[in-house]
Amino acid sequence: MKMLLGLVAPTSGRVQMLGEPFSQRSAKRVLPRVGSLIESPSFYGHLTGRENLDIVRRIKGAPTTAVDAALETVRLTQAAKKLAKEYSLGMKQRLGIAMALLGSPELLILDEPTNGLDPAGIHEIRELIKSLPRTHGLTVIVSSHLLSEIEQMADTIGIINQGRMLYQGSLSGLEDAGRLVLTLEDAEQAAAMLRAQGWQIEQVQGREVTLPVYEDKHIPQLVSSMVNAGVGIYRVEIRRRSLEETFLELTERAQTVQVAA
Amino acid sequence: MTAMGVEVSKLRRKRLWLTVLLVLGFELLWIVAILTVSLSRETTAPHTMGYAIGQASQVHAIVAPILATVVVSRLAAMEHDGAMLPVLFAANQSRGSLFLTKYAVAATISTTATVIVVAAVALVAGGQGVPADPGLMIAWLLGLVLANLGIVAIQLLLALLFQRQAVTLTVGIVGGLVGSFAGFVPPTIAAFIPWQYPGLVTPVRMEQTGGTITGFPLVDHLGVLIALVGVVGAACTAAGTAVFAHRVSR
Amino acid sequence: MSALGIERQKSKRAWILLVVAVLLVGLNVFNGAGNYLGNADIFEAQGLTWIAVWGQAGLLWAILFFPFLITVRAASLTRMEHEQANWRRLASYGAHLRIYRGKIVLLAGFVLLCQAMFVAAVLVVSLALGFDLTPSDVAAMLSWGLLGAVGGMTVAAIQLLVGILVRSFATNVAIGLVASIGSLMVTLVAPLLEAVYPYAQIGVGMRVRALDWPTLPETLGYLTGNLLLILVAVFVGRLVLRRREH
């Protein structure tokens, strides 16, 4: 994210922002169209929230109305007159987001935006971020280590591990199709029988027989064939790996690949 | 004392020594310059250790408060920058203990610097053929060490109470620079300004007739001055600790 | 210039330093006047009036107190950005160079203001002491004051650069102070270097030792030299800010 804003120079490779290759010169054109909150929020402690925002507004050349609008958006209007150094962690975070919103950016880059917020605040900011593309017509890039949060916010995600992009695509692409898992009285016998009937058995372990997920219309047939054969059925379910498990597997696999390499 | 150990370990990678080196190194350079130049040009006044001390003291009286102020400011800023004061107090370090340990570190640094300066004066003057005068040197050293204590105490209190280091730096430096007016500030006034104590305890004073220096005779009542300085220094330290310990908020 | 306006908005409690400046000006000029009165007969015999006050008051002002004020102001301007990673935020807006420019201009205003106060104080004291001031005398005070302010800008530009490089406020001030006091050493050991030593320029411009009008070549040399120093300091400052990674 720092590289996208020119705060850090890449050791190799190139950066493209808003359709342009990023350089000192293009930065002048590009950066005014980008709002960001990187690491912990920056502010002038000796100034009030409103004064801080006014300064950012003037730097970005935004209209005077932008400050009130930003304060309203992050729900800091009440605390606007307090000195920034007296803000709680959550309020500082909101102030940082408000600063990022000033100047009607086309792109918002937010680094862990719900950091330090209470559950109500997390919900609020998450809903805000989700609404921004619709209400302000902008794109938001959010970084987070909370998969549950990303799941609820993002359409497209990227997974970076040790400097490498492991996955980039839609969230649904990471969703696990799942497996059909039968918990039976005598798994071995049942598996043999099902195999003979042409069902695809992936794995038998303990009392569980794992099959690929068949369409709903095949399930009654599967169940009745087992019942007719006298197989005791305890459970028929679809098990999906959680996003977390998918993520961990992806990163672990990448690690072993790296070790092997 | 673990509190001291903690205080010293906080200085790791802070390069405080670099700042001290900057100020002390500059002072030593200046003293060497002034001693060699003045002694080589001096024809009327006798080349005594008192002469050397008198010349060097004009430099030291300006730099000593600056060094103390800057060191203390660095020590306090460390806590303010990380907002560590509430953390330390919550971890049950007493405010008095914090003040005293920082004081001890600052005082140690100042004293070491003072010893180096006095030694340098003795060496350079000796190198220029000035006869040694250990008694005078020790009197000067003692006075200077005691003189520092008051400055460090007041500066530390200011530096810990005010997050804006501009305040403490302005007070300490202006307090010290005021002494540069007219060479020496008269003892009656200097006694009220702790930042002038390094100049106040100079065991000699300049004697001039018609613009030329005729000598550096001993100051009267040097013992009284040193005692005064020591007492005020101790009082400031006690007061500083007490004031800081009784602050309710951070 | 909006960058200047922004910097002014950020400098909320800068007035305190101005009060200190007034006090220091007062102290120096008072000292100058006292020195005159103490040696009034000698000065009268030599026909020196305001020049004696100017020389005595200006010496310590130019070498110690004026650079001290500039150093503290410059250090405050850079310190507020070092805190809370504000340089990084400004860089993310692409505004860091603009803001630097604003700080330079604000600092220049401060330098001019302090020097103006000094000149005004000397004028007032001269009148109070009953000196007969010719227009040429007043012109001298104003011109030398202005030249000194140029020297002040040199110190300001360098200290602003130091402030960008050095994070600690105290070390910043220590550097400025040591460098300023160092000009005394330069005068003592290598008087010829005084013409090029940056922190001695205020004294040179104010003519606190020479106590007479500079020649045209001297003035041009002084102005060019200082302008060069200022440009180099600003250039390096911009370079550092541009290349810095956050």
Side-chain angles (χ1 to χ4, degrees):
Chain A
M1 286 182 155
K2 286 186 181 178
M3 283 191 266
L4 291 180
L5 297 164
L7 296 173
V8 168
T11 46
S12 70
R14 286 161 298 140
V15 176
Q16 249 199 16
M17 276 284 276
L18 297 177
E20 289 189 55
F22 193 84
S23 69
Q24 290 275 356
R25 245 169 295 127
S26 66
K28 287 205 185 79
R29 280 192 301 275
V30 171
L31 288 181
R33 296 153 66 191
V34 179
S36 65
L37 175 57
I38 300 291
E39 288 178 10
S40 50
S42 291
F43 51 86
Y44 297 109
H46 64 287
L47 301 177
T48 67
R50 182 178 289 276
E51 285 167 348
N52 264 287
L53 286 177
D54 197 54
I55 285 179
V56 178
R57 174 193 75 78
R58 292 174 68 176
I59 292 177
K60 293 193 156 187
T64 26
T65 47
V67 171
D68 282 316
L71 284 170
E72 189 63 48
T73 311
V74 299
R75 308 283 187 91
L76 263 186
T77 321
Q78 304 295 66
K81 291 212 185 84
K82 259 176 93 174
L83 291 181
K85 68 179 172 202
E86 285 163 20
Y87 279 6
S88 71
L89 187 55
M91 290 161 86
K92 287 178 185 168
Q93 196 73 17
R94 285 173 213 255
L95 183 63
I97 296 174
M99 285 185 189
L101 284 173
L102 286 176
S104 312
E106 294 165 40
L107 173 65
L108 211 56
I109 300 180
L110 301 175
D111 186 13
E112 315 247 8
T114 57
N115 199 9
L117 298 176
D118 60 7
I122 291 178
H123 178 79
E124 227 178 273
I125 295 298
R126 194 170 54 224
E127 292 305 307
L128 167 64
I129 291 174
K130 277 164 68 179
S131 71
L132 285 174
R134 192 174 21 94
T135 53
H136 289 65
L138 46 73
T139 306
V140 188
I141 299 181
V142 174
S143 86
S144 178
H145 54 272
L146 299 173
L147 293 169
S148 52
E149 237 183 49
I150 295 287
E151 255 181 312
Q152 295 182 63
M153 271 197 280
D155 310 309
T156 313
I157 70 168
I159 299 180
I160 298 180
N161 181 243
Q162 308 238 347
R164 300 202 121 68
M165 185 82 94
L166 296 180
Y167 173 81
Q168 188 182 206
S170 69
L171 194 58
S172 52
L174 278 181
E175 261 169 30
D176 191 27
R179 292 285 176 274
L180 187 61
V181 177
L182 310 169
T183 313
L184 309 168
E185 194 183 354
D186 187 349
E188 293 283 357
Q189 187 192 23
M193 178 206 75
L194 289 173
R195 231 186 247 119
Q197 289 182 1
W199 296 97
Q200 204 179 330
I201 308 294
E202 288 197 357
Q203 186 189 333
V204 179
Q205 195 171 19
R207 298 187 309 176
E208 292 181 359
V209 178
T210 311
L211 302 86
V213 177
Y214 282 91
E215 280 182 47
D216 281 356
K217 62 183 181 197
H218 298 303
I219 305 294
Q221 200 186 337
L222 176 66
V223 174
S224 38
S225 58
M226 284 193 289
V227 170
N228 291 339
V231 175
I233 303 176
Y234 295 139
R235 261 190 301 286
V236 178
E237 59 185 339
I238 294 188
R239 284 204 200 136
R240 292 185 218 273
R241 267 192 323 212
S242 69
L243 184 60
E244 191 181 82
E245 290 170 315
T246 314
F247 175 85
L248 286 172
E249 195 202 321
L250 255 178
T251 51
E252 270 165 27
R253 207 188 320 150
Q255 232 128 320
T256 35
V257 167
Q258 267 186 316
V259 170
Chain B
M1 222 204 306
T2 43
M4 265 299 266
V6 164
E7 207 50 56
V8 172
S9 60
K10 284 187 208 172
L11 291 173
R12 209 175 293 167
R13 284 186 294 275
K14 267 297 175 180
R15 291 188 278 218
L16 182 62
W17 59 270
L18 205 58
T19 313
V20 174
L21 190 67
L22 172 75
V23 181
L24 184 60
F26 166 75
E27 182 182 359
L28 290 174
L29 256 163
W30 194 8
I31 285 180
V32 166
I34 226 183
L35 281 181
T36 36
V37 168
S38 61
L39 279 172
S40 59
R41 291 185 197 164
E42 189 57 62
T43 43
T44 36
H47 287 202
T48 59
M49 196 53 85
Y51 183 91
I53 290 181
Q55 292 285 16
S57 173
Q58 295 181 63
V59 176
H60 190 69
I62 295 181
V63 182
I66 294 176
L67 181 64
T69 303
V70 168
V71 167
V72 162
S73 176
R74 285 291 301 270
L75 290 176
M78 203 189 323
E79 311 296 348
H80 289 305
D81 280 354
M84 282 303 287
L85 288 179
V87 177
L88 292 174
F89 298 144
N92 222 16
Q93 175 165 28
S94 85
R95 307 174 77 97
S97 144
L98 180 71
F99 189 91
L100 282 173
T101 34
K102 283 205 186 281
Y103 178 84
V105 173
T108 309
I109 296 176
S110 305
T111 306
T112 314
T114 309
V115 169
I116 295 176
V117 167
V118 172
V121 171
L123 278 170
V124 173
Q128 293 276 310
V130 175
D133 192 340
L136 197 59
M137 288 311 243
I138 291 180
W140 191 36
L141 180 60
L142 179 67
L144 286 179
V145 170
L146 289 176
N148 264 336
L149 300 185
I151 301 177
V152 172
I154 299 176
Q155 288 300 132
L156 185 59
L157 183 64
L158 289 173
L160 284 174
L161 288 183
F162 293 94
Q163 197 175 15
R164 273 174 75 96
Q165 292 304 302
V167 175
T168 82
L169 284 167
T170 305
V171 170
I173 291 173
V174 171
L177 288 183
V178 159
S180 54
F181 290 122
F184 292 107
V185 175
T188 32
I189 300 182
F192 290 100
I193 311 176
W195 295 270
Q196 292 305 310
Y197 287 176
L200 187 65
V201 296
T202 316
V204 297
R205 102 193 107 75
M206 192 188 308
E207 211 173 46
Q208 284 187 336
T209 35
T212 12
I213 303 175
T214 47
F216 280 88
L218 278 180
V219 155
D220 310 319
H221 313 298
L222 183 63
V224 174
L225 287 173
I226 294 182
L228 168 72
V229 159
V231 165
V232 174
C236 286
T237 312
T241 318
V243 170
F244 189 66
H246 282 97
R247 283 253 314 177
V248 178
S249 60
R250 61 170 170 87
Chain C
M1 198 194 240
S2 66
L4 173 64
I6 291 169
E7 285 307 310
R8 288 184 63 200
Q9 202 178 351
K10 283 193 240 175
S11 297
K12 249 177 150 182
R13 268 172 286 179
W15 62 270
I16 300 179
L17 192 63
L18 274 178
V19 171
V20 174
V22 170
L23 285 169
L24 291 179
V25 165
L27 218 62
N28 276 285
V29 174
F30 190 68
N31 179 40
N35 183 56
Y36 176 86
L37 290 171
N39 300 304
D41 37 349
I42 305 174
F43 289 127
E44 262 172 58
Q46 295 179 317
L48 299 172
T49 57
W50 66 274
I51 276 204
V53 177
W54 180 272
Q56 179 70 10
L59 192 63
L60 289 176
W61 169 253
I63 294 174
L64 292 177
F65 293 95
F66 193 18
F68 167 71
L69 288 166
I70 298 173
T71 300
V72 172
R73 189 79 184 97
S76 308
L77 285 175
T78 47
R79 176 72 188 154
M80 73 169 74
E81 310 299 349
H82 282 303
E83 290 175 345
Q84 307 298 340
N86 279 308
W87 279 125
R88 177 179 71 207
R89 181 166 57 96
L90 290 172
S92 79
Y93 305 151
H96 47 314
L97 295 177
R98 232 191 316 156
I99 292 296
Y100 180 52
R101 211 170 41 228
K103 290 190 195 285
I104 293 172
V105 176
L106 189 64
L107 205 50
F110 179 77
V111 168
L112 277 168
L113 183 60
C114 288
Q115 189 70 327
M117 289 198 290
F118 180 83
V119 172
V122 174
L123 262 167
V124 166
V125 162
S126 297
L127 293 172
L129 286 175
F131 296 155
D132 237 339
L133 292 177
T134 65
S136 127
D137 289 335
V138 178
M141 281 193 237
L142 290 173
S143 318
W144 300 358
L146 206 60
L147 287 175
V150 172
M153 263 318 292
T154 307
V155 172
I158 297 178
Q159 280 302 127
L160 210 56
L161 171 62
V162 171
I164 290 173
L165 295 170
V166 176
R167 224 193 115 95
S168 155
F169 190 95
T171 309
N172 235 314
V173 174
I175 292 175
L177 219 52
V178 161
S180 304
I181 301 176
S183 61
L184 280 173
M185 207 165 72
V186 167
T187 325
L188 182 72
V189 168
L192 293 169
L193 284 180
E194 200 188 23
V196 291
Y197 186 65
Y199 287 77
Q201 295 307 303
I202 302 178
V204 171
M206 286 179 73
R207 317 295 296 168
V208 287
R209 281 192 228 271
L211 293 175
D212 61 5
W213 283 89
T215 64
L216 188 61
E218 279 179 338
T219 316
L220 287 175
Y222 174 82
L223 287 173
T224 341
N226 277 281
L227 191 65
L228 209 66
L229 284 168
I230 294 172
L231 287 174
V232 169
V234 172
F235 177 75
V236 175
R238 280 178 66 94
L239 200 68
V240 170
L241 283 177
R242 219 171 356 163
R243 294 278 171 84
R244 176 169 285 178
E245 298 204 340
H246 300 270

